[in-house]
Amino acid sequence: MDPWLKHTGTVNSEFSLDADSNAEQFVQLIFGGNSVRNLTYDLLSKWFNLNARLNLNGFSGIKLAINAHADDIGTQLLSIRNSAGQAKFYVDENGTATATALTIPASTGSTITGHYSVLAANVTSANIPAGQCGNYATISLEGALPGQTALATPVATESGIETTHLSWKAFSGSSGSVTIRACNPSNSDINTADQQSWRIDAWAH
């Protein structure tokens, strides 16, 4: 073959496949004479299918491979590779994710060593007098210890705390529980109904 023919191309700014729109379902761009590598657009599902490896090199040494090669470990639908091409994270055909030797940069602060969470229903809450702050509710949370970071999130409901003037925060003041403390800036007492659910979270460091 004339070497010149290996470098032919188009000077047009657009190159169309199926320009006459006669394809019934598949429009293919085929690589190689044996037709084993192709990029196919499925007109019915409206997605692209690549029957080989796709590497997206965002920066040096990192590769994202989609529809990984048959020589890879198992059948990898998605894999992240190092500069040597080795899969460090991959998802197989069953949806199982596997990570090997992933390195997470060291944190400059305290390491989170535990997370505890509970959804408590029909929480009994206290009346918060006008212009005052008080302990609104205490919720049991196994694993919570004094001094841990705590968060209280109400599940929105009719006449819930989120519909009032109350502001609130959470703290872990004793082992096994988290307290919600609320402040009432209004001129009247606020006593919400004991029917709200709360998501309580605490983190150990």
Side-chain angles (χ1 to χ4, degrees), residues 26-99:
F26 301 113
V27 180
Q28 288 188 331
L29 182 62
I30 300 173
F31 303 89
N34 56 8
S35 303
V36 296
R37 295 289 179 263
N38 61 74
L39 177 63
T40 302
Y41 181 70
D42 188 329
L43 295 168
L44 298 183
S45 65
K46 295 182 172 58
W47 58 39
F48 284 95
N49 296 302
L50 181 66
N51 72 340
R53 180 184 307 202
L54 171 65
N55 286 332
L56 303 176
N57 297 309
F59 49 93
S60 178
I62 300 297
K63 296 180 179 180
L64 173 64
I66 302 175
N67 289 339
H69 193 271
D71 293 339
D72 295 329
I73 303 172
T75 302
Q76 298 173 24
L77 303 182
L78 169 67
S79 62
I80 298 177
R81 303 160 178 281
N82 61 14
S83 57
Q86 300 168 330
K88 293 301 180 181
F89 171 84
Y90 63 90
V91 180
D92 65 21
E93 59 187 345
N94 297 317
T96 302
T98 302

Side-chain angles (χ1 to χ4, degrees), residues 100-179:
T100 59
L102 285 177
T103 301
I104 300 176
S107 171
T108 56
S110 300
T111 301
I112 294 176
T113 58
H115 171 236
Y116 313 99
S117 183
V118 67
L119 179 63
N122 299 317
V123 172
T124 300
S125 58
N127 173 69
I128 305 298
Q132 296 186 33
C133 297
N135 289 346
Y136 177 81
T138 297
I139 299 173
S140 297
L141 178 59
E142 184 177 355
L145 294 173
Q148 290 179 348
T149 302
L151 178 67
T153 305
V155 178
T157 186
E158 184 178 356
S159 301
I161 192 174
E162 74 282 352
T163 67
T164 71
H165 292 293
L166 294 177
S167 61
W168 66 90
K169 67 177 182 178
F171 66 95
S172 180
S174 60
S175 298
S177 68
V178 168
T179 297

Side-chain angles (χ1 to χ4, degrees), residues 180-196:
I180 302 171
R181 187 164 178 83
C183 289
N184 180 4
S186 71
N187 295 322
S188 17
D189 296 357
I190 296 179
N191 190 5
T192 58
D194 298 335
Q195 60 185 25
Q196 189 152 28

